Amino acid sequence: MEKRLIKKEALAGIAKRIAEDVTVYAPVRVEENVLFKVLEKGEEPLFTYQNSKNAPKNFFFPRSEVMLRYTRTPKGVEFTAEELFARDGVLMGARPCDARSFVLLDMLFDQEKYKDPYYIEKRNRTTVVSLACAKPPYRECFCTSVGGHPVDDKGADVLITDIGDVFLVEFVTPKGEKLLKYFGDQKADAASEEKKAAVAAAAEAALTWKIATHEVKEKLDRNFNSPFWDGIHKKCLACGTCTFLCPTCHCFDISDEMKYDDGRRLRNWDSCMFPLFTKETSGHNPRPTQKERWRQRVMHKFSYYPENFGAIACVGCGRCVQSCPVNIDIRKIVAEAMELA
Ligand code: SF4
Ligand code: SF4
């Protein structure tokens, strides 16, 4: 694996140089938030940030996406497939939890049998440059409880770690190695490896929330009908904030919009927290109250995803905990579930 050392203050300039050649998505301050966005000419990326308000999943799975267009003609309806996203991009500065979320989304959108070309095209054409958390940014972080790590390279093509005076840059995949030319020629030495190991150990130790999840699927499956679920949802406003900010939530709805003879088919993010999410045309709703919806959210992430793909569908970013307006905390729910028989 190729490894380089760069001055910390050089990273913003490197991002801008890459942006001269391909589209760069980077964290940028927008009013009081830090958001990932396309880096415009003259715009300053922010790599000293904690984490972005939104997860960067929208670059591969947009909030609203046209799938196809159609026109009514005298001979019938003509369909035009929407041109797939066709530009190379670099996602710079994603935190390891968010980079790992792409591995989890790949399991769903890029299966052997079912392939989602809209997602796959964007994913294949984007290089992920991850910025390790030398210090876990928030007290809500719990990545190590769900299989991640603050200095994890899963989902990253390039991993950048703050090892004190400089950044250690590791080119994890061949896709990442294509960016080598932007990062100078100061090769990393054995001392920088040792510093990275010390940073990784300190970051892991600094995480304050650690929950056991080793048998969470079995516990949840056994307790599907338990009174455990009777109280969790009571404060929930069904606002959907938790699902829209979550890097791994991926539910969507498909709808058609027509104006005169022209129409388009869109897929839009949806949320299992919304009452209409499972409402059927007959009026029947198999998840009639917020209790069933909250149970679904937990079961999907901690039981069904492990069953289907062998991995928990939560990366421990803590966004849902931070932003829930009524302080519902998925970490506490899982910790309490682990106390069940
Ligand atoms: S469930 Fe919450 S903590 Fe887990 S990945 Fe989604 S937003 Fe982050
Ligand atoms: S953010 Fe909180 S209130 Fe809103 S849907 Fe999620 S759990 Fe319910």
Side-chain angles (χ1 to χ4, degrees), residues 235-242 273 294 323-326 328:
K235 290 192 293 180
C236 180
L237 307 172
C239 66
T241 302
C242 50
M273 294 288 97
W294 241 103
S323 296
C324 174
V326 292
I328 296 181

Side-chain angles (χ1 to χ4, degrees), residues 145-332:
S145 300
V146 284
H149 192 281
V151 188
D152 194 1
D153 66 5
K154 287 189 199 68
D157 297 299
V158 178
L159 176 67
I160 300 177
T161 309
D162 182 345
I163 56 167
D165 302 341
V166 291
F167 281 145
L168 169 65
V169 185
E170 297 172 281
F171 297 84
V172 182
T173 66
K175 202 170 165 189
E177 281 178 2
K178 291 188 182 146
L179 296 179
L180 251 172
K181 62 180 177 183
Y182 298 101
F183 285 86
D185 52 12
Q186 192 185 345
K187 297 213 174 201
D189 51 15
S192 45
E193 291 293 321
E194 284 169 22
K195 285 183 192 166
K196 183 194 163 192
V199 166
E204 185 176 338
L207 279 163
T208 47
W209 255 90
K210 289 175 185 138
I211 45 175
T213 51
H214 56 285
E215 280 179 359
V216 66
K217 175 185 161 32
E218 290 73 13
K219 298 248 182 200
L220 291 171
D221 290 352
R222 275 200 298 274
N223 287 282
F224 188 83
N225 291 312
S226 156
F228 173 70
W229 301 106
D230 291 345
I232 290 165
H233 65 286
K234 285 195 173 151
K235 290 192 293 180
C236 180
L237 307 172
C239 66
T241 302
C242 50
T243 50
F244 284 173
L245 296 183
C246 177
T248 62
C249 278
H250 51 261
C251 290
F252 59 82
D253 193 18
I254 293 179
S255 59
D256 283 89
E257 289 180 351
M258 276 204 83
K259 190 171 183 190
Y260 306 115
D261 287 333
D262 296 316
R264 58 183 191 164
R265 179 158 297 169
L266 295 137
R267 84 164 157 195
N268 302 302
W269 289 359
D270 204 344
S271 170
C272 59
M273 294 288 97
F274 296 157
L276 286 181
F277 183 67
T278 45
K279 191 162 184 186
E280 297 166 8
T281 317
S282 65
H284 171 66
N285 194 338
R287 291 187 208 134
T289 73
Q290 210 60 12
K291 169 185 161 179
E292 291 82 13
R293 294 170 207 139
W294 241 103
R295 182 174 61 191
Q296 163 64 20
R297 176 162 161 76
V298 176
M299 294 297 289
H300 191 183
K301 289 186 178 298
F302 291 89
S303 171
Y304 308 147
Y305 225 76
E307 183 171 326
N308 291 330
F309 304 115
I312 289 172
C314 165
V315 292
C317 70
R319 284 185 180 91
C320 60
V321 184
Q322 277 175 348
S323 296
C324 174
V326 292
N327 298 321
I328 296 181
D329 187 334
I330 199 166
R331 300 170 306 175
K332 289 187 186 159

Side-chain angles (χ1 to χ4, degrees), residues 28-95:
V28 172
R29 184 164 295 287
V30 180
E31 297 176 354
E32 74 273 25
N33 290 319
V34 175
L35 304 174
F36 273 89
K37 65 179 287 302
V38 173
L39 192 63
E40 308 288 352
K41 204 170 170 62
E43 203 165 36
E44 206 52 40
L46 187 72
F47 294 118
T48 52
Y49 79 125
Q50 292 175 294
N51 204 356
S52 57
K53 184 81 175 172
N54 294 344
K57 69 178 174 186
N58 58 309
F59 297 117
F60 307 133
F61 172 48
R63 188 175 305 179
S64 186
E65 180 167 38
V66 179
M67 305 180 84
L68 60 87
R69 294 176 193 273
Y70 46 87
T71 306
R72 188 163 45 199
T73 72
K75 291 185 193 156
V77 180
E78 287 175 2
F79 292 92
T80 319
E82 184 70 1
E83 203 170 301
L84 293 179
F85 177 91
R87 59 182 179 197
D88 294 331
V90 176
L91 173 59
M92 291 277 297
R95 291 296 182 191

